[in-house]
Amino acid sequence: MDVGIVGLRQLESMPKRIFSGVKPTGPLHLGNYLGALRNWVELQRQYESFFCIVNLHAITIPVDPDYLSALTLEIARLYVAAGIDPEISTIFIQSDVPEHAELAWILNCSTRMSELERMTQYKEQARKQRESIGAGLFEYPVLMAADILLYQTNLVPVGEDQKQHLELTRDLAIRFNRDYGETFQVPEPYIPKVGARIMSLSDPLKKMSKSDDDPNGCVMLLDDADTVRRKFKRAVTDSGTQIKFDDSRPAITNLLTIYQLLTGKAPADVEAHFTGKGYTQLKQDLAEVTIEFLRPLQERVRGISADDLRGILEHGRNKAQGIARATLAQVMTRRGVVGASGSN
Ligand code: TYM
């Protein structure tokens, strides 16, 4: 029996799947929420959903082990506090499912060096690290492809910066299917029209990032009210006085975009709200809206006990591993990688 084809056929009549993840290299920020998590929360009721904390990706750059292990759990808590419902979505830690690393190896063997050399995120990181670039950083996008392909994922909700990695994932899936028979669902990216690239508050030409050198550029989901006020107060603005969405004025447009997404208002209503007001008012209003948004989220974080979290992550691991094992077994068979028993 051709297990792979049956697997794919069965999938056609099943609810479609989404997979996404966050790399625990720094505390979650508004960009992560507005570009990714917000959409996960919305999509989880229409799709069978898998949300991962991708800790194996985090070690591709230098990171303190104690910090990494604590942050991994903090991010899992934030998933739940942000509205991922563990009753309907699967939340798990990447290293709990070793099939991710195993599939990454197999995919590595059909990935071209030139494909990885083209990755802009690799090139940016490599520039920062110069001579100490690890091979793991180079192969990062292959592990990401493995994350996605293991779950026969249909849709991957991410911010704009992950688009190139998604294209590689699709290429690897298509190539494997062509060379070894239909095995993988070819995933589509889901990149929101608004919020896919939230910019740094201190440099509106750079994306808001966990690794921003200037801590004022990035509002963390766990920042307290005073810190949020201080960061918005220092936010860079454009010259002029108009408060309107305008691509030629990236700082104000970024602040308005954050305001729009956190209030759920239409762009015209956002502009109307700020008519006749100045930049100081914009920053103050935005700080208060952000604080009001973060308050309940932070309360929920504090309400999740260590036991509850462990239960959610163990349940998630079991659910994820069942699917990951089935895909990996098909992949190994297709490649003729069999053990002593003649099968895997
Ligand atoms: P990471 O951890 O950098 O970011 C997590 C998610 O947040 C989005 N994001 C942003 N969106 C809008 N504006 C911003 N300034 C901003 N900064 C980050 C990212 O696009 C992402 O969706 N390689 C991935 C992690 C990963 C993954 C995966 C994602 C590993 N395997 C499989 C999806 C599927 C990353 O580093 O994301």
Side-chain angles (χ1 to χ4, degrees), residues 22-23 25-38 71 74-75 78 82 161 195-200 207-212 215 217-223 231 258 262 290 293-294 297:
V22 170
K23 177 177 67 199
T25 47
L28 284 197
H29 54 73
L30 267 186
N32 297 131
Y33 177 78
L34 298 175
L37 267 79
R38 194 176 66 95
L71 190 62
E74 178 184 298
I75 291 180
L78 276 164
D161 60 350
R197 194 171 176 81
I198 299 295
M199 308 311 278
S200 159
K207 70 168 184 182
M208 188 177 277
S209 162
K210 297 172 203 140
S211 56
D212 201 329
C218 193
V219 176
M220 305 303 177
L221 298 185
L222 294 180
D223 276 348
K231 288 181 177 175
I258 298 173
L262 291 181
T290 306
F293 161 74
L294 292 180
L297 185 144

Side-chain angles (χ1 to χ4, degrees), residues 23-196:
K23 177 177 67 199
T25 47
L28 284 197
H29 54 73
L30 267 186
N32 297 131
Y33 177 78
L34 298 175
L37 267 79
R38 194 176 66 95
N39 302 308
W40 304 358
V41 173
E42 272 181 24
L43 293 167
Q44 68 179 335
R45 289 179 203 283
Q46 301 156 46
Y47 291 85
E48 192 187 358
S49 304
F50 293 80
F51 299 120
C52 189
I53 300 102
V54 292
N55 55 350
L56 295 174
H57 279 101
I59 59 170
T60 57
I61 54 173
V63 58
D64 175 73
D66 291 336
Y67 179 68
L68 174 60
S69 54
L71 190 62
T72 302
L73 296 180
E74 178 184 298
I75 291 180
R77 264 204 178 80
L78 276 164
Y79 281 10
V80 179
I84 306 298
D85 181 351
E87 300 283 331
I88 56 172
S89 296
T90 302
I91 301 175
F92 71 104
I93 299 174
Q94 188 184 34
S95 62
D96 267 339
V97 182
E99 285 76 7
H100 288 244
E102 293 182 66
L103 179 59
W105 175 254
I106 294 176
L107 292 176
N108 259 326
C109 297
S110 46
T111 306
R112 298 170 189 139
M113 297 284 281
S114 59
E115 288 174 311
L116 298 179
E117 277 159 359
R118 276 202 296 275
M119 295 290 122
T120 49
Q121 287 218 330
Y122 164 73
K123 287 196 274 190
E124 276 167 25
Q125 281 288 344
R127 246 197 313 275
K128 283 190 207 157
Q129 291 185 42
R130 298 207 176 87
E131 67 277 7
S132 59
I133 308 156
L137 188 67
F138 189 61
E139 289 171 11
Y140 179 113
V142 184
L143 180 58
M144 180 162 163
D147 296 341
I148 296 166
L149 299 180
L150 268 181
Y151 299 93
Q152 306 292 2
T153 302
N154 301 88
L155 202 65
V156 187
V158 282
E160 206 231 13
D161 60 350
Q162 299 303 315
K163 197 167 167 228
Q164 196 186 30
H165 289 159
L166 255 296
E167 279 159 13
L168 177 71
T169 303
R170 287 173 54 85
D171 289 346
L172 294 181
I174 291 167
R175 185 176 306 153
F176 194 99
N177 289 348
R178 185 199 63 204
D179 293 347
Y180 303 104
E182 279 300 309
T183 307
F184 295 122
Q185 175 72 43
V186 180
E188 299 283 340
Y190 176 97
I191 298 175
K193 285 201 178 71
V194 182

